[in-house]
Amino acid sequence: MQTSPEKSLQLGPALRIGVLGGGQLGRMMIQSAMDFDVRVEVMDPSAEAPCRHFTHRFVQGDLNDENAVFEFGQNLDVITIEIEHVSVPGLRRLEKQGVRVIPKPDHLDLIQDKGTQKAFFEAHHIPTSPFELIETSAEAGKRGYPIVQKLRRGGYDGKGVQILKSEADRTQRAFDAPCVLEAAVDINKELSVIVARNAAGHSACFPVVESVFNPVANLVDYLIAPADISASIEHQAQALAVRVAEAMNFEGLLAVELFLDQSGELLVNELAPRTHNSGHHTIEANRTSQFEQHLRAVLNLELGSTAATHPFGAMVNLVGSASAMGTPVYRGLTESMAAPGIHPHLYGKSQVKPFRKMGHVTITADSRAEAIDQVMLLREQLAVDGLSD
Ligand code: ADP
């Protein structure tokens, strides 16, 4: 039976929260939800999803199937996501039935399409790199080279994003689909700000995080917080994240990915309306983790303090080695834990593949130099290989 929105905010086992997506983000959310003693139910297309054995109800289903999403969410009090590629029509139907849906379907609709995101930034005077929307690969050369081409829909973790450097690149590998064509930014730093905003319009930002990329895997190599930027840039980045959340009238947790360019200007790259890779260190390094904060925002509770509990937090992704296949073997991990402030998080994936995200390690440290030294040591020590059957 549906409860009223007020009643549904009471923590305890009567509160039923549905999560679309059962990967590592959902799994870490469940760890926080256990402290609230709420009932978490999960839907994911994979029978092997990392949340599979840690949920009150697991439904294997297609997240983009309107009816499957609708059926999963019926009778839940609240529904949220750990991945943005889900059926918006299904969520709209649930909302009409009185299920509290956070993030709101309109926000998911906006964010699922990189083209509408960019148009939103432009309409609200939110700084972003100049862009144009195109329909086919033939148009990908119209702004000259180098140029960044992004699939409007369906990309993730750098897949669906490429830099075209020449006409030869365009003819050989331009995406032949609706895309955003955007000016290549001369990036000084890649930053992110995770901001939570509740229904009362209160918002809270985590300290700015700096991401360092691995160009081969096109995945975050490591990240560190607070970012090595001036206090003025830090305030501007956080103010920009709040401005974006307010312009959207956003409710929930919003990761705002930013570029700091070589001239010192901040540009919004893209948004994720959920917990984010750049917030994993908050589990150990901040008073409230991004996962608890997400739940607080979803349940319309008071937001928690985002203050750091250690001077520095860093995070290294554990990704499959270049040729790893089979059952994962985490080489060097137990040895690495002898150092202070090293916290492993394995995601429970049964099979490793090249560059697949298998876990992460958080580092808490007293200085930036100590944090980076530990990162470098971990990068030498750790490897995720596969044992083939
Ligand atoms: P995804 O959604 O797949 O993570 P992003 O839009 O974040 O895609 O792009 C992935 C990476 O590509 C960014 O982190 C950045 O390194 C690079 N990139 C994206 N847009 C630009 C741009 N306009 N100029 C330069 N590099 C970019």
Side-chain angles (χ1 to χ4, degrees), residues 189-367:
K189 288 180 187 293
E190 298 207 26
L191 305 174
S192 91
V193 177
I194 296 179
V195 57
R197 190 165 181 274
N198 65 13
H202 299 147
S203 51
C205 290
F206 284 95
V208 182
V209 177
E210 182 174 343
S211 302
V212 181
F213 274 78
N214 175 339
V216 180
N218 207 10
L219 278 179
V220 173
D221 201 5
Y222 73 92
L223 60 79
I224 184 159
D228 190 13
I229 50 177
S230 66
S232 155
I233 297 286
E234 164 139 45
H235 294 146
Q236 284 176 50
Q238 291 180 325
L240 190 51
V242 171
R243 216 176 108 202
V244 173
E246 286 182 350
M248 294 171 74
N249 194 23
F250 188 80
E251 239 183 281
L253 196 79
L254 186 69
V256 182
E257 295 182 15
L258 302 163
F259 297 135
L260 177 64
D261 75 10
Q262 297 291 350
S263 69
E265 201 190 340
L266 285 167
L267 301 167
V268 176
N269 174 31
E270 62 166 2
L271 309 175
R274 53 166 169 79
T275 55
H276 193 254
N277 197 50
S278 67
H280 290 348
H281 63 288
T282 59
I283 295 174
E284 285 89 8
N286 294 73
R287 293 182 81 171
T288 307
S289 77
Q290 66 162 344
F291 300 97
E292 178 177 336
Q293 194 79 315
H294 176 79
L295 285 169
R296 285 177 181 238
V298 165
L299 300 175
N300 198 23
L301 305 173
E302 291 293 334
L303 300 176
S305 165
T306 54
T309 51
H310 295 271
F312 287 88
M315 190 279 282
V316 183
N317 277 318
L318 284 175
V319 301
S321 309
S323 57
M325 290 301 270
T327 306
V329 182
Y330 299 95
R331 301 206 190 282
L333 190 59
T334 44
E335 294 81 350
S336 75
M337 289 164 63
I342 301 290
H343 307 274
H345 295 259
L346 301 183
Y347 299 155
K349 297 185 183 174
S350 57
Q351 296 291 303
V352 60
K353 291 178 199 155
F355 304 117
R356 186 175 193 198
K357 280 187 198 169
M358 301 299 290
H360 71 265
V361 178
T362 301
I363 297 141
T364 51
D366 289 333
S367 68

Side-chain angles (χ1 to χ4, degrees), residues 114 150 156-158 161 182-183 185 190 213 257 269-270:
K114 287 183 195 248
K150 300 185 178 180
Y156 68 98
D157 278 352
V161 174
E182 70 181 58
V185 175
E190 298 207 26
F213 274 78
E257 295 182 15
N269 174 31
E270 62 166 2

Side-chain angles (χ1 to χ4, degrees), residues 50-271:
C51 290
R52 176 75 176 88
H53 300 293
F54 302 99
T55 176
H56 289 84
R57 180 174 67 118
F58 181 78
V59 174
Q60 190 178 356
D62 179 353
L63 301 175
N64 287 294
D65 178 329
E66 175 182 337
N67 289 327
V69 166
F70 180 70
E71 275 160 32
F72 167 71
Q74 272 183 320
N75 303 319
L76 296 178
D77 298 299
V78 187
I79 189 157
T80 188
I81 53 147
E82 61 123 50
I83 180 168
E84 54 271 31
H85 302 297
V86 300
S87 168
V88 168
L91 288 174
R92 288 199 209 282
R93 278 168 62 193
L94 289 169
E95 202 171 42
K96 277 211 192 91
Q97 285 221 331
V99 178
R100 180 173 156 80
V101 180
I102 301 292
K104 294 175 192 161
D106 283 352
H107 294 147
L108 283 168
D109 198 32
L110 174 76
I111 286 172
Q112 282 176 349
D113 180 336
K114 287 183 195 248
T116 54
Q117 265 192 63
K118 290 288 270 187
F120 180 87
F121 300 151
E122 190 172 55
H124 289 83
H125 308 290
I126 290 160
T128 193
S129 60
F131 72 99
E132 198 166 322
L133 302 181
I134 59 167
E135 296 297 321
T136 64
S137 58
E139 296 170 83
K142 64 198 289 190
R143 293 180 73 103
Y145 305 101
I147 198 82
V148 181
Q149 189 191 19
K150 300 185 178 180
L151 286 175
R152 287 183 64 168
R153 289 184 168 272
Y156 68 98
D157 278 352
K159 296 180 185 66
V161 174
Q162 61 180 346
I163 298 192
L164 302 175
K165 294 193 173 135
S166 61
E167 180 61 17
D169 270 2
R170 184 192 71 74
T171 51
Q172 282 162 24
R173 55 187 178 89
F175 303 126
D176 194 24
C179 279
V180 179
L181 202 57
E182 70 181 58
V185 175
D186 195 3
I187 299 172
N188 177 4
K189 288 180 187 293
E190 298 207 26
L191 305 174
S192 91
V193 177
I194 296 179
V195 57
R197 190 165 181 274
N198 65 13
H202 299 147
S203 51
C205 290
F206 284 95
V208 182
V209 177
E210 182 174 343
S211 302
V212 181
F213 274 78
N214 175 339
V216 180
N218 207 10
L219 278 179
V220 173
D221 201 5
Y222 73 92
L223 60 79
I224 184 159
D228 190 13
I229 50 177
S230 66
S232 155
I233 297 286
E234 164 139 45
H235 294 146
Q236 284 176 50
Q238 291 180 325
L240 190 51
V242 171
R243 216 176 108 202
V244 173
E246 286 182 350
M248 294 171 74
N249 194 23
F250 188 80
E251 239 183 281
L253 196 79
L254 186 69
V256 182
E257 295 182 15
L258 302 163
F259 297 135
L260 177 64
D261 75 10
Q262 297 291 350
S263 69
E265 201 190 340
L266 285 167
L267 301 167
V268 176
N269 174 31
E270 62 166 2
L271 309 175

